[in-house]
Amino acid sequence: MSPMRKDTRKAPVKKDADASPKRTVHPISPVRGMRDILPSEQPLWNMVRAKCIEIASAYGFERIDTPMVEETGLFVRGVGKYTDIVEKEMYSFETEGGSKLSLRPEGTASVMRSYISNGMVSLPQPVKLWYMGPMFRHDRPQHGRYRQFYQFGCEVIGEEDAVTDAQLALISYLILKELGLKPTIRINSIGTTETRTNYKNALVSYLRGHRSKLSEEDKKRLLRSPMRILDSKDPAIVEIKAEAPQIVDWLDERSKSHFMRVLEYLDETNVPYQLDPYLVRGLDYYADTVFEAYVEHEDEQGHAQLALGGGGRYDGLSEVLGGRETPGTGFSLGLDRIVAQLRESDIKPEKKQVDIFVAQLGEQGRKKALAVFEELRKAGIVSGEAFAKDSIRAQMEVANRQEAKFAIVIGQKEVLDGTAIIRDMESGTQEIIDVQKVIQEVHKKLGK
Ligand code: AMP
């Protein structure tokens, strides 16, 4: 069909056998605990993503993407069978071929799996990787907790020096601080497996003395994962915890000196940190240093410290996953919570400034405007348009909404004359320019 002729054909009316009598079609909502991140929210998300990437890149990290689905065994072995994540929160399924798979609940186990399966041990060490993407945990949805959420993480694999632990705590702090938040790092050492075994015995005998105050869930934990009880926010536990034995007293000389060095490096960086003798983190792979980044937060329940991210050392993880003995340290940040905090603190991304809006009138004007828009784009000038709109008024409304500083107007007459009108959107003054020189003229106007 000629592009000039209007298409007057009617769309065929489908006769659907199911269509009568009319049935109500219910709209489909997102799955509980999952949500859309809409275009209007993306500028803030982009600001967070960009800051994570900027700082990780400056510190020599490279991006890695791993699949969102892995063998369930990866997380059972890596994260730990008796962790909340694996016991209660994984989206697991069996394929027709009988493979047991899970949506990843976190990133570290996958990155270590990738390090092993891709033979990254033969690369110059350490290997420094960052990742960003959705994680899935079937937890009870509530404020700041989703079933699909997003994490950014950094991992340093193949380096045991304490300076790495400090550097990772520093990077997580810097990202949050440079975004405009006021984070603090909470840090502890949970030593070696042997340390933890001894400590657990002491902790269990202490907690047994307070058994009547423990919830049913915590009583179960007493047998299988007593250190997790320390993670509890239950006021009864918070009270019991105050007198509980502290793991630092069980650290061996090597762990103690490693931890001291981490703290000394942190002292050099001016990162605000607090020693938290009861910080254990909920995953099995951690050893020695563990830390969390948190901010002070007010909500309906009052004042709380909200964790925005966490990490630590995981020297045993590689072997658990069938690799060689390889040290590793890392952290992950929860992007959803960071975005929510920025919103609460009224921190906004810089608005994309539209320099010039390209308006058109008539078919010839529209064609010329298309070409001019592309010329402007190639020259790096941020332009706006509403080519599908006919009326100048409607186009100017869009231009105002986009807060364009200038508009170019090209109509039939301008096409014939080889000109364009350039309009100052604030003062309303207009000027006729040679359309061939549009880039120069726009640059001049913008003072570039
Ligand atoms: P974790 O390793 O579990 O401490 O997770 C690291 C960070 O990810 C947390 O500090 C949160 O900011 C974020 N995060 C973890 N689980 C969720 C969730 N269900 N929804 C939103 N963010 C989460």
Side-chain angles (χ1 to χ4, degrees):
M1 195 186 354
S2 149
M4 300 305 286
R5 214 173 322 133
K6 220 173 167 187
D7 185 0
T8 50
R9 289 174 300 182
K10 284 206 175 118
V13 179
K14 266 196 207 146
K15 282 217 172 96
D16 186 345
D18 291 339
S20 57
K22 234 180 173 181
R23 282 194 303 178
T24 320
V25 181
H26 294 287
I28 298 175
S29 309
V31 172
R32 191 165 128 82
M34 304 194 182
R35 74 210 195 287
D36 304 308
I37 301 169
L38 299 172
S40 59
E41 303 174 78
Q42 293 291 346
L44 196 53
W45 278 81
N46 279 340
M47 179 174 108
V48 175
R49 294 178 189 124
K51 181 54 78 184
C52 292
I53 297 173
E54 177 204 321
I55 296 191
S57 306
Y59 275 86
F61 288 75
E62 291 178 301
R63 180 169 190 151
I64 185 162
D65 289 307
T66 61
M68 267 176 250
V69 179
E70 298 270 4
E71 278 186 30
T72 300
L74 172 66
F75 305 112
V76 174
R77 277 154 64 184
V79 176
K81 196 169 174 179
Y82 298 122
T83 57
D84 280 353
I85 292 182
V86 169
E87 260 189 333
K88 297 189 223 148
E89 298 170 6
M90 278 220 290
Y91 282 88
S92 299
F93 56 97
E94 201 169 318
T95 63
E96 269 183 36
S99 305
K100 291 191 169 66
L101 306 179
S102 295
L103 298 185
R104 62 180 182 194
E106 60 96 57
T108 304
S110 302
V111 172
M112 185 54 101
R113 196 264 314 125
S114 177
Y115 176 93
I116 299 165
S117 32
N118 292 293
M120 289 189 217
V121 69
S122 57
L123 298 176
Q125 303 293 300
V127 175
K128 297 165 81 173
L129 303 167
W130 67 262
Y131 61 85
M132 192 183 290
M135 305 295 160
F136 303 85
R137 294 184 195 170
H138 194 271
D139 201 350
R140 198 161 45 85
Q142 51 179 277
H143 180 77
R145 199 183 289 162
Y146 301 99
R147 289 180 172 173
Q148 174 172 333
F149 61 98
Y150 295 80
Q151 282 187 338
F152 165 82
C154 284
E155 313 287 358
V156 178
I157 306 180
E159 180 53 70
E160 61 186 1
D161 198 282
V163 73
T164 313
D165 310 30
Q167 218 177 16
L168 284 160
L170 168 68
I171 294 170
S172 61
Y173 166 78
L174 286 177
I175 291 171
L176 298 170
K177 180 177 161 264
E178 291 198 6
L179 282 168
L181 299 173
K182 293 194 180 72
T184 302
I185 300 290
R186 206 180 352 228
I187 193 162
N188 191 21
S189 172
I190 55 168
T192 61
T193 316
E194 201 187 330
T195 302
R196 287 192 295 282
T197 308
N198 295 335
Y199 173 66
K200 274 181 208 166
N201 290 338
L203 183 65
V204 168
S205 49
Y206 171 79
L207 291 173
R208 282 223 172 98
H210 299 270
R211 210 181 137 79
S212 59
K213 293 185 204 147
L214 300 185
S215 66
E216 286 313 305
E217 188 69 18
D218 283 337
K219 278 180 194 152
K220 270 190 236 155
R221 288 201 176 110
L222 204 51
L223 299 172
R224 297 201 305 205
S225 50
M227 282 166 67
R228 301 272 143 68
I229 299 175
L230 299 174
D231 273 339
S232 172
K233 305 259 178 319
D234 179 347
I237 302 289
V238 174
E239 207 187 303
I240 299 170
K241 217 162 76 171
E243 300 286 311
Q246 302 187 350
I247 195 162
V248 279
D249 297 326
W250 267 258
L251 296 182
D252 63 21
E253 283 311 311
R254 195 207 54 82
S255 288
K256 228 183 269 173
S257 98
H258 183 92
F259 192 38
M260 290 316 294
R261 286 187 57 216
V262 175
L263 299 183
E264 279 166 22
Y265 291 125
L266 274 183
D267 287 334
E268 291 303 310
T269 61
N270 295 325
V271 169
Y273 72 85
Q274 283 172 357
L275 294 178
D276 179 347
Y278 300 113
L279 177 71
V280 292
R281 308 266 305 134
L283 321 179
D284 271 6
Y285 52 59
Y286 287 117
D288 282 327
T289 320
V290 287
F291 62 89
E292 270 185 0
Y294 72 90
V295 287
E296 303 293 336
H297 169 71
E298 300 287 340
D299 61 17
E300 312 85 63
Q301 278 128 43
H303 185 87
Q305 294 186 336
L306 182 75
L308 297 182
R313 187 159 271 286
Y314 47 84
D315 291 351
L317 179 61
S318 171
E319 278 168 290
V320 171
L321 299 181
R324 298 189 204 166
E325 195 183 331
T326 312
T329 334
F331 72 82
S332 69
L333 294 174
L335 302 187
D336 311 69
R337 286 196 197 164
I338 296 175
V339 167
Q341 279 305 298
L342 293 174
R343 240 182 240 141
E344 251 175 57
S345 316
D346 209 23
I347 297 170
K348 295 193 178 104
E350 255 179 53
K351 227 176 173 183
K352 186 181 138 197
Q353 181 66 52
V354 171
D355 291 326
I356 192 144
F357 187 89
V358 185
Q360 36 73 37
L361 200 62
E363 200 51 31
Q364 295 306 320
R366 178 178 283 150
K367 285 181 186 158
K368 185 66 195 169
L370 270 172
V372 167
F373 184 94
E374 179 51 17
E375 251 185 83
L376 292 165
R377 186 198 67 80
K378 273 204 219 128
I381 297 163
V382 184
S383 313
E385 54 84 20
F387 292 149
K389 295 199 189 301
D390 294 326
S391 94
I392 279 287
R393 212 172 81 204
Q395 293 180 64
M396 286 304 125
E397 270 170 25
V398 180
N400 282 328
R401 221 182 301 134
Q402 295 181 345
E403 294 174 25
K405 285 181 257 173
F406 297 95
I408 286 183
V409 185
I410 305 172
Q412 208 88 343
K413 180 175 183 307
E414 286 71 34
V415 175
L416 290 174
D417 296 350
T419 57
I421 298 167
I422 193 159
R423 178 189 169 92
D424 185 317
M425 292 296 287
E426 208 175 30
S427 65
T429 52
Q430 302 200 150
E431 208 177 296
I432 295 171
I433 58 162
D434 179 352
V435 77
Q436 305 278 353
K437 295 191 182 139
V438 65
I439 303 292
Q440 282 150 271
E441 294 292 340
V442 171
H443 272 153
K444 221 191 308 172
K445 289 268 177 220
L446 295 171
K448 284 186 184 169

